[in-house]
Amino acid sequence: MATTAIKRKLWIGSAKAAILPMATLTLVGLMIVPVPSFVLDVGFILNIMISLAVLMVALNVEKPLDFSAFPTVLLFTTLLRLGLNVASTRVVLVNGHTGAAAAGHVIEAFGHFLIGGDYAVGLFVFGILMVINLVVITKGAGRVSEVSARFTLDALPGKQMAIDADLNAGLVTPEEAKARRQEIATEADFYGSMDGASKFVKGDAVAGVLILAINILGGLVLGVVSHKMAVGEAASTYIQLAIGDALVAQVPALLLSIAAAAIVTRVSSPLDLSDQITSQFGSARAWTPVAGILAFLGLLPGMPHLIILPAAALAGGTAWKLRKAKAAAAIGEVPAAATASPTAIGWEEVSDGAALSLELGYGLVGLVDERKGAPLMTRITGIRRQLSRELGFVVPLVRVRDNLVLGPNSYRISVAGVVVGEDECWPEDLLALDSGDLTARVEGRMCKDPSFGLDAVWITPERRGEAVVAGYTVVDAATVIATHLNQLIAHAASDLFGMDEMQKLLDALKESAPQLVAGLTPQPLSLAQLAAVSRALLAEGVPLKDFRRIAEAIVDSAREGADPIPLVEAVRIRIGALIVQTIVPVRMPLPVITLDAELESLLAQAIRVGPNAQHPFEPALAQRIVGAVADASAPMVNAASRFAIVTSPIARRALARLLKPHLPETPVMSFLEIPDGKAVEVVAIVGGKPGEAPAAARPRLEMVQ
C-alpha cells in the first residue's frame, strides 16, 4: 500500500509538472493548426472562466505579494486569447460566407445578443471598450506599475538597513529577519515583473484592434471576390462575425486589465479589498453629508423626486446605523478596560530575555536613527559577526534601547542582566586617543578611553586634521561605543554560552562527524557537563571555533573522569596547539613569563594544602605575586605584544584565577600545554635571582623563606 501511495504521488507530481509545457504547446498549436468551431467555443468559454477567476483572486488577496504569480498568469492568459484570435480569424475568413454560425456559437451569441445584430452598433461598442481598456485602465495600471517598481527598488537598501537594525536591537529573530529580507526581495521582483507585464495588456489591446481590421477587410475582399457576395451582404456577414470575435476576446481582456489595476493599486492590509473598502467607508461622518445633499437636491423643483429622495433616505439610514454601531462598540470596550487593574503587573514588565543590552541616553539616540544611517547599528552587526567567527558560536542579539534615567550622553552595557560597563560620549564630537608619541596637544574635553583606559580628549570635528597631525588616533562616537561593546562581549563570552548554544554546536558537528557526537553525549558527558566545560574554556580565552578538535580532546579526557575542573585541565593539554596559535603566529616564538622553581614549589604546596579552595594562596603572597607579574609584563603590555604566563600544571588554574582581574588579556598556561617543537622566548622569570632571567626585565619577588 505504501509503495502504491508513493507511486501515485510521483505520478501526480509528474502530471502537474507536465501541465504547463503541454498548455504552452496547445497555445502554439491554436495559432498554427486549423481547429473546428466547437473547439473555439470551448476555448472562448475557458478564457472567460480563467479571466473571472484571476479577477476574483486579485480582489481577495490581502497584499499584492499574495498573488506573486500574477505576471506569469497574465502572460499565459494573453497568449491564450491571442491564440484563440488567430484560430477564429482563420475560421471567419475561410467559412464566414456560410453564415453567422460559421465561427461557433459563442461568437454568434456575442454578435447577436450583445449588439442586437447591428454591426454598426458593434463597432461603436467595441470602440468604447477599447478606449476604456487601453486609454483608461491599461495606461493607468502601467504607470502605477512603473512608479511602484521604481520606488520599491529605491527603498530596498533602506528596508535592508531597517531589518538589520531590528535584528541588532533584538526586535526580530534571525529567522524572522531572513523571512523579511526574502519578502522585500520578492516584492522588488514582483513590481519589476508587473512593470513589464502591463505591456502585455497594452499590446493585447492593440492586437485586438489590428485583428478586427484584418477580419473586416479580409472578409469584405474574400466575400466579394472569392464568394461572389454582394458588398452589403459581405459587410453584414463578415463585420458581424469580426465584431463578435473582437468582443468575445475583449471582455476577458477587460477583466484581466481590471485585475492588473487592482493588484498594482493595492496597499498592503490584513483585509481583502472588499473588507478594506468597506472598513474605510464605514464612517457615519462621511454618509451624513451625502444624505443631506441628496435630500436638498430631491426637494428642488424638476428633479426626479422618486429616485433622489429614496437614495437620500438610504444614505441617512446608513449613517444612523454606523453611528449606532460605533456607540455600541465604545460601550463594549469599557468593561474590558475596567478589568485591567492598575495594580496588575505582567511578566513582560519584570523580565528581559536579552542576553546583551545596550542602553543609551536620549542624546545618543541619533546613533541608531535610521534616517541618519544608524552608524552604531551597522558597527554592532559587524562586531557580532566577527566575534561569532572568533569565538565559535553565534553571539546573541544586542538589544539597543533608550533609557531616560541615564544622562543624555551616557550609555550602559549589560551582559545577562549584569551591568559590565558604562561611560559617556558625545555624538557630535570625535575622540582623539593619545598614542604615546604626540608632537603637540589638542584642546578639548579630557577623558579616559573606555575600552583600554588610554588618555584621550573629545574634540570638535573641525580639529580632526590638527589632532591627526599631532599624532592622535581619532575615532567617532559610534566607534567608541562599538569598541567598548566588542571588548566586553569578548570578556563575557562564557556568560553568553549556555546549553542551547551547546546543542547548536553539537548539531552542526553532527553533520560532519556524527560518530564523534555519538561518543561524546549523552555518555560519557551530559549536555550540561559539556556546556560547563565549554564555558570554562571560553572564560580562559580559548575559542570554540575548532570545536571538532576540542570535542575529540573531551572524548579522550573524559575516560579519566567527568569532573569539569580536572577535565578542563586535561582538555587544555590536548589542545595546547590551538591555545598557542591564538597568542602568536605559527612561525613566531612564544614569549613567556615563568616563575622561579622555589616559587613554583611554594605555590604547589599551598594548593596541596587546600586543593578545593577558590583562592589557596595567602593574601600577602597573592598580592606580591600580582605585583611582580605586573612589573614583569609591563614592557610587553605597553608594547601591545601578546605573551603567556607559564607555570606548572598543578598551579595553573589557581594562578590564572588570581591574575585574571589584573591581566585579563594574558593567558596562563602550563608547561604541558606548549606543543613539542614550539620555540619559546623567556622574557622574564618572576622570583628568580639576577642572572637567571634574560636580558629583558628581571623583576624579583622578595617573600620566599
Side-chain angles (χ1 to χ4, degrees):
M1 293 295 292
T3 305
T4 305
I6 293 174
K7 290 182 178 179
R8 186 183 297 109
K9 289 182 179 179
L10 292 175
W11 183 85
I12 293 174
S14 302
K16 289 181 178 179
I19 289 176
L20 195 57
M22 293 300 297
T24 305
L25 293 176
T26 303
L27 293 179
V28 176
L30 283 175
M31 299 181 185
I32 300 175
V33 181
V35 295
S37 58
F38 172 75
V39 175
L40 285 179
D41 289 341
V42 174
F44 284 127
I45 297 301
L46 179 64
N47 187 22
I48 295 174
M49 181 183 70
I50 293 175
S51 301
L52 285 171
V54 171
L55 178 60
M56 293 302 105
V57 173
L59 294 178
N60 286 282
V61 295
E62 295 180 357
K63 54 185 178 180
L65 289 184
D66 291 342
F67 198 5
S68 58
F70 182 74
T72 305
V73 172
L74 192 61
L75 167 64
F76 283 102
T77 52
T78 303
L79 289 177
L80 172 61
R81 192 163 50 255
L82 292 175
L84 290 172
N85 279 143
V86 173
S88 62
T89 298
R90 184 187 298 109
V91 174
V92 167
L93 295 180
V94 173
N95 302 323
H97 64 283
T98 61
H105 296 293
V106 176
I107 292 179
E108 181 184 12
F110 272 77
H112 281 80
F113 178 73
L114 294 183
I115 63 176
D118 190 340
Y119 62 83
V121 175
L123 286 174
F124 289 120
V125 172
F126 178 78
I128 293 173
L129 288 177
M130 290 303 302
V131 169
I132 294 173
N133 189 10
L134 184 60
V135 178
V136 180
I137 300 177
T138 303
K139 186 175 182 180
R143 179 58 177 166
V144 172
S145 298
E146 180 183 353
V147 174
S148 299
R150 183 181 304 169
F151 284 178
T152 301
L153 292 175
D154 291 343
L156 191 61
K159 292 181 178 179
Q160 294 281 9
M161 291 177 63
I163 294 173
D164 291 338
D166 290 345
L167 180 62
N168 289 323
L171 301 178
V172 296
T173 63
E175 292 76 15
E176 292 173 340
K178 183 178 180 181
R180 286 175 57 180
R181 291 191 187 98
Q182 181 64 36
E183 182 177 357
I184 63 174
T186 305
E187 182 182 15
D189 294 340
F190 173 77
Y191 282 109
S193 299
M194 281 301 301
D195 186 24
S198 62
K199 305 300 187 295
F200 296 150
V201 181
K202 182 178 180 180
D204 177 48
V206 175
V209 176
L210 296 177
I211 291 174
L212 174 64
I214 291 171
N215 283 340
I216 293 175
L217 294 177
L220 289 175
V221 172
L222 290 175
V224 174
V225 176
S226 299
H227 302 294
K228 307 304 180 182
M229 299 173 65
V231 175
E233 181 185 2
S236 176
T237 301
Y238 282 99
I239 293 179
Q240 185 172 334
L241 287 172
I243 292 298
D245 181 26
L247 289 176
V248 80
Q250 283 308 307
V251 169
L254 182 61
L255 295 177
L256 288 177
S257 298
I258 296 173
I263 283 290
V264 298
T265 55
R266 280 296 308 272
V267 176
S268 296
S269 169
L271 305 174
D272 59 30
L273 188 58
S274 300
D275 293 337
Q276 188 177 358
I277 294 175
T278 303
S279 64
Q280 294 176 3
F281 275 87
S283 172
R285 290 184 297 176
W287 288 102
T288 301
V290 172
I293 294 172
L294 287 177
F296 174 75
L297 292 176
L299 295 176
L300 293 177
M303 288 291 179
H305 309 294
L306 297 179
I307 298 176
I308 297 181
L309 290 178
L314 178 62
T318 302
W320 178 76
K321 286 189 175 181
L322 289 173
R323 188 177 293 108
K324 185 178 179 180
K326 183 177 180 181
I331 294 173
E333 290 176 358
V334 172
T339 57
S341 172
T343 60
I345 301 176
W347 282 105
E348 65 277 2
E349 300 181 45
V350 297
S351 62
D352 186 357
L356 291 171
S357 175
L358 173 61
E359 298 174 274
L360 303 175
Y362 67 84
L364 302 179
V365 173
L367 296 176
V368 295
D369 190 348
E370 297 176 9
R371 294 171 296 181
K372 298 180 180 180
L376 181 57
M377 304 308 297
T378 304
R379 285 176 171 83
I380 290 176
T381 301
I383 286 172
R384 289 185 58 240
R385 182 177 292 110
Q386 182 63 27
L387 284 175
S388 297
R389 293 172 180 169
E390 293 177 356
L391 297 176
F393 67 95
V394 178
V395 174
L397 298 172
V398 180
R399 176 170 294 175
V400 182
R401 55 189 176 185
D402 61 332
N403 188 341
L404 297 179
V405 177
L406 297 176
N409 296 317
S410 300
Y411 67 90
R412 178 184 296 163
I413 301 171
S414 303
V415 177
V418 178
V419 177
V420 294
E422 56 185 355
D423 213 297
E424 289 184 322
C425 67
W426 281 258
E428 304 299 330
D429 293 344
L430 301 174
L431 184 65
L433 301 173
D434 186 350
S435 61
D437 188 18
L438 302 179
T439 59
R441 294 287 177 179
V442 178
E443 295 183 1
R445 188 182 296 106
M446 301 299 296
C447 66
K448 289 285 187 179
D449 170 44
S451 300
F452 308 105
L454 301 177
D455 292 332
V457 56
W458 285 99
I459 60 174
T460 59
E462 293 77 13
R463 292 178 172 252
R464 180 188 185 101
E466 178 185 350
V468 172
V469 172
Y472 286 94
T473 301
V474 181
V475 295
D476 59 10
T479 302
V480 173
I481 299 176
T483 304
H484 196 189
L485 180 65
N486 178 77
Q487 183 189 52
L488 295 177
I489 292 177
H491 289 168
S494 59
D495 296 327
L496 301 174
F497 191 88
M499 287 194 288
D500 291 332
E501 287 75 17
M502 187 72 254
Q503 185 62 56
K504 291 176 182 178
L505 268 181
L506 292 174
D507 293 341
L509 181 61
K510 189 182 294 184
E511 296 180 3
S512 58
Q515 295 302 320
L516 175 59
V517 175
L520 183 62
T521 185
Q523 292 295 333
L525 298 178
S526 65
L527 184 65
Q529 290 173 318
L530 279 175
V533 173
S534 299
R535 279 196 300 269
L537 293 174
L538 288 170
E540 297 193 6
V542 181
L544 305 178
K545 58 183 179 181
D546 194 355
F547 186 67
R548 176 168 183 164
R549 187 166 179 180
I550 294 174
E552 291 173 348
I554 293 175
V555 170
D556 293 339
S557 304
R559 298 170 184 170
E560 303 172 4
D563 188 2
I565 295 178
L567 182 58
V568 169
E569 297 303 314
V571 169
R572 286 182 59 93
I573 294 175
R574 286 171 170 79
I575 62 171
L578 290 178
I579 300 175
V580 170
Q581 73 180 14
T582 63
I583 305 173
V584 292
V586 63
R587 294 186 178 181
M588 285 184 59
L590 175 65
V592 299
I593 294 176
T594 63
L595 305 183
D596 178 63
E598 294 183 4
L599 179 57
E600 288 276 7
S601 176
L602 184 62
L603 297 181
Q605 183 180 356
I607 293 172
R608 291 190 184 97
V609 172
N612 297 322
Q614 289 292 325
H615 301 285
F617 309 134
E618 295 181 357
L621 175 62
Q623 185 176 0
R624 293 183 180 182
I625 292 175
V626 170
V629 172
D631 292 341
S633 60
M636 300 289 290
V637 172
N638 294 334
S641 300
R642 293 280 289 167
F643 64 97
I645 298 173
V646 179
T647 184
S648 62
I650 190 174
R652 192 211 68 82
R653 183 168 175 271
L655 187 61
R657 187 185 299 111
L658 174 65
L659 297 177
K660 184 174 183 179
H662 309 280
L663 296 170
E665 303 288 343
T666 303
V668 179
M669 304 178 61
S670 73
F671 301 122
L672 300 180
E673 294 173 13
I674 301 177
D676 296 338
K678 179 64 180 178
V680 175
E681 178 185 358
V682 180
V683 297
I685 300 177
V686 176
K689 299 178 181 179
E692 291 182 340
R698 295 188 179 114
R700 297 193 60 191
L701 185 65
E702 299 182 5
M703 57 175 162
V704 185
Q705 291 295 338

